[in-house]
Amino acid sequence: MQSLVKLYPIETRTPSLGDNTGDLDRLKKGLSGSLRGQNPVVPFYRIAPVAEAFRQSGFKGYAVAIHVPGGGVRLVDFYAQAPEILVGMALDLGTTHLEASLVDFLSGKVLERAAVENGQLEFGTDILARIHFAATKVGRQSGLSLLHERVMDSIHTLARDLAMRVGLEPTQIMALCVSGNTTMAHFFLEQNPYHLCREPYIPVVNSPDPFSASDLGLDLHPAAIVMVMPSIGSYFGGDLISGIVASGLDQQEETCMLIDVGTNAEVVVGNREWLIACAGAAGPALEGGVARMGMRAGPGAIEHCTIDPDSGKIEYQTIGGAPARGICGSGVIDLVAGLYLARIIDIRGKFRPDQPQAAGRLLAKEDGFAYVVVPAEETDLKEPILLSQVDIDALMRSKAAMYSILATITNQVGVSFHDLHRIYVAGAFGKHISPRQAIVLGMLPDLPLEVYTPLGNSSLAGAELMLADEAARKRCREVVAKVTYIELNVNQEFMLRFSGSRIIPHTDHTLFPSVPFQGES
Amino acid sequence: MQSLVKLYPIETRTPSLGDNTGDLDRLKKGLSGSLRGQNPVVPFYRIAPVAEAFRQSGFKGYAVAIHVPGGGVRLVDFYAQAPEILVGMALDLGTTHLEASLVDFLSGKVLERAAVENGQLEFGTDILARIHFAATKVGRQSGLSLLHERVMDSIHTLARDLAMRVGLEPTQIMALCVSGNTTMAHFFLEQNPYHLCREPYIPVVNSPDPFSASDLGLDLHPAAIVMVMPSIGSYFGGDLISGIVASGLDQQEETCMLIDVGTNAEVVVGNREWLIACAGAAGPALEGGVARMGMRAGPGAIEHCTIDPDSGKIEYQTIGGAPARGICGSGVIDLVAGLYLARIIDIRGKFRPDQPQAAGRLLAKEDGFAYVVVPAEETDLKEPILLSQVDIDALMRSKAAMYSILATITNQVGVSFHDLHRIYVAGAFGKHISPRQAIVLGMLPDLPLEVYTPLGNSSLAGAELMLADEAARKRCREVVAKVTYIELNVNQEFMLRFSGSRIIPHTDHTLFPSVPFQGES
């Protein structure tokens, strides 16, 4: 297997009047055997440091070469002594958080992981706000340039942190693989995102060629190779390609599905023969972004809860066991499923204040009822945590969108839900969600629970694989060539299915045989 | 034949919801047919301008691609309209002058030529002085950095001048091929020349990989490809490789010789089977750099003269017919040959004040006699132009060195002078010299005059060929692999031959049957 970054031990004759080759030419000549005739290219700004290090080391030591995916070898550094580790950085460029890890090219292992908040948050919590901000001016600086700077700062923070933990300088990081949605990739590359959110939604570039850290002013090794996971379109980013590679969807004999849920739900169905993808707006409810007490998955977020169907008594767990501060996406799903099973809401998701299980739990507010999830005295904030009718309505739209997307894409490729061998669920949503409660709501299809497989941060995992595994790099290119993308924004079938999905669990409740139907009781 | 820089006409479908490829990906896809499956790489800093130009042109126009010698295609620009010319710059990076031309990739023609003085001259007229200056500090700047800046300035002056003449901006120059001696190449690349003049005379790099103008901060097209003619060693530079390629020495069936004379004399002997090279110090006399009235070939320089052997009357021509200001190398050779034939100097090159032909022409000076070439009243400077004994002694050493180099190298490869089909003489020396007078002095071998073929500026011509002709680029790589370099600085045979060559024409005057022997008369 060809390592992306590789050490080549070398020892040459020392220069003499009878052997007066140039220093760099001598080094290249000495490497020609190991490189099997491939001519390594020394980037211009590495000529002096590489030649000097080779001379200072007495014409023996370890050459560092980058095997550029797509062709070519770059000779970028020279060490007198063999280093213990030789690292690259994998990066999940999330809208709210950046998560990164160091991959050791010598052992193939992941050494350290770290995360920071995305420094762009102050310019907009959601992607659309940032795209608009990009077009503005702040003093003499463009919004785009400012957004780019912030994401660079966040990356540098991660690089310093990770490098320090393994006893290196950030300038010893030899590679970076970036995985993020298409807009974040544009901000990273400082490309104009203007057309990303305007029909027909065209990126400046989906598959940028690998470049060098110095091209972008990244404070890594100046010749570090920077790879950006390719995207398929404005709404199907490199993070999803990472997910496909990390899950192995593209290698499965049986048809599987990959779901990544954020503000958009992105879905891929396929196997080793074919891959169909689509994306649709799911609304921010599933990220905990809409409920007034909603929050992203973090300490104090209610991630799970149950409501006794008879007594209406609620029990909940928070992330980290901390006092409750809000509800994250998985908590909202559990909660609304519980409210439905306890008949506190009806099949349309509306509160039923006359139900005994709702007793003492519903507050009448200006815009309708609100359910007291946690009374004020039990919270950290000394305010009750509430779930309002507005919040539930938002979730109902999200769950309807989610199911409609899944139904539309499977129908388009002529696959039934029961044909799906596995459903991989990416990200925090996949990690925290109870598939059972999502099924109760009619958000996910009524399949055996073992079909649902959480993936964790597959955006980061895909980037790690790109660094560590040549086969993954090859698969990535193949996946991009293979994926067929269906645009749901203009899909009539999706619109029709959406209407039918705004009932719990569904207008056609035979689709959800495992869920008690509580209509018209 | 593969052009180095090439235009590709292209028209793609415009983006739509059903075809929402990224702009750059669309362009690449549209080019895949013309590029026969080669994946063009878009350098990072060209992503935005190329994608934007493609979009602004309505997704049709002309892509500019660079076919990098050694592999790879770079997509670097996009024009809405077909340009009339598409140019690269060839550059002879001389120690005293830079000469450049524009080559049109569309027609293969040379459009314009221009020359400027080397801006480094104030830091040393000869290479050795500049190498020493490079190691000094001027304020906080290194001498090397200052030398590099000056040569960059000179190049920018040429680029602006040439571009203006063809109605372009310098930033429309898409390629640069630089040909110069090894030290000048180091200054251009801002590489430390320290070891070039210290045994065992090792360059930092002989064959730098092609890079981009922006890597070096050249004000050409930022992605313009920059190629530096490879050198063989410290004393055998890219200008000589240019000379070999321009003369076609490497393609000759019969053995030929190439001579390039400056402060060093560089000589190549060979044919299409083999090439042997050497270089030796010839002294600055042949460049007009030593004689007190010496000057480089330029307006007012005496380039030719004859002395009537009987009367001693001198006649001369100056370059451009201007009033005489000094004597250039070819003038000195004519003059000393004439002095010998008129018996004003003896076979050792010493003045013979008793000879009638010297009457009224010799002045007694502190350091010996001096010959009045031009009386004060005929000169531009209102001072006589003199040739002193010291000047003649210097020329005698130069001519001895020159002949010894030629005799040594031919002897080393077992070739007699008479086996040489042609002797190409490069540069100003080749352009101005009278081979007959050089033969009289015993500087060049006594061969029929038609063997001697002036090459003109073959350093520039080689660089032009590198831009315009793929076959020349291939030949260049082959020449570098094929040349065997002999180090004369430590060659015993050379030392012995040098002693025997300090007589006019030679100690063994049977070697020069066409030259009247004037010994011991």
Side-chain angles (χ1 to χ4, degrees), chain A residues 89 91 93-94 96-100 115-121 147-161 184 218:
Chain A
M89 178 166 151
L91 175 66
L93 205 59
T96 52
H97 283 87
L98 278 64
E99 197 171 346
V116 292
E117 199 171 67
N118 189 326
Q120 300 176 326
L121 277 172
L147 285 163
H148 171 70
E149 263 181 32
R150 288 301 165 90
V151 79
M152 293 287 280
D153 290 346
S154 299
I155 294 171
H156 288 149
T157 301
L158 282 171
R160 279 193 302 272
D161 178 13
M184 282 306 304
L218 277 164

Side-chain angles (χ1 to χ4, degrees), chain A residues 207 229-232 236-252 258 268-277 466 471-485:
Chain A
S207 297
M229 289 298 290
S231 52
I232 301 288
F236 197 95
D239 48 351
L240 261 286
I241 302 293
S242 277
I244 294 171
V245 172
S247 66
L249 187 64
D250 59 316
Q251 298 184 303
Q252 301 284 343
L258 167 65
V268 192
V269 179
N271 52 43
R272 64 188 187 190
E273 303 292 332
W274 51 268
L275 293 165
I276 307 286
M466 289 291 284
R473 294 192 287 275
K474 185 160 169 280
R475 281 169 53 206
C476 174
R477 290 193 295 274
E478 291 165 353
V479 164
V480 169
K482 204 153 65 173
V483 170
T484 305
Y485 181 74

Side-chain angles (χ1 to χ4, degrees), chain A residues 58-213:
Chain A
F59 304 96
K60 59 172 189 273
Y62 298 83
V64 183
I66 294 177
H67 293 265
V68 183
V73 185
R74 288 186 199 142
L75 187 53
V76 298
D77 218 331
F78 195 87
Y79 299 146
Q81 306 295 331
E84 285 180 19
I85 53 174
L86 189 67
V87 301
M89 178 166 151
L91 175 66
D92 166 39
L93 205 59
T95 309
T96 52
H97 283 87
L98 278 64
E99 197 171 346
S101 58
L102 284 188
V103 173
D104 176 20
F105 293 111
L106 302 183
S107 66
K109 286 185 185 151
V110 174
L111 302 179
E112 292 284 344
R113 285 208 176 128
V116 292
E117 199 171 67
N118 189 326
Q120 300 176 326
L121 277 172
E122 72 169 279
F123 304 123
T125 49
D126 68 282
I127 276 293
L128 213 56
R130 290 186 214 166
I131 291 179
H132 292 308
F133 179 79
T136 63
K137 286 260 179 194
V138 180
R140 295 175 58 179
Q141 192 172 17
S142 72
L144 174 58
S145 147
L146 206 51
L147 285 163
H148 171 70
E149 263 181 32
R150 288 301 165 90
V151 79
M152 293 287 280
D153 290 346
S154 299
I155 294 171
H156 288 149
T157 301
L158 282 171
R160 279 193 302 272
D161 178 13
L162 288 168
M164 197 186 61
R165 293 201 218 164
V166 297
L168 297 180
E169 296 294 323
T171 52
Q172 290 172 288
I173 296 174
M174 305 304 302
L176 173 66
C177 181
V178 177
S179 172
N181 66 51
T182 309
T183 308
M184 282 306 304
H186 275 56
F187 291 143
F188 172 65
L189 297 168
E190 204 172 350
Q191 298 299 317
N192 189 349
Y194 181 87
H195 293 286
L196 289 178
C197 62
R198 287 170 176 87
E199 205 180 311
Y201 315 109
I202 307 297
V204 173
V205 59
N206 279 320
S207 297
D209 296 301
F211 54 92
S212 296

Side-chain angles (χ1 to χ4, degrees), chain B residues 365-385:
Chain B
K365 295 279 197 176
E366 272 179 31
D367 52 358
F369 289 105
Y371 176 82
V372 180
V373 184
V374 185
E377 58 274 20
E378 289 178 30
T379 69
D380 198 29
L381 310 164
K382 304 304 166 205
E383 273 183 45
I385 294 175

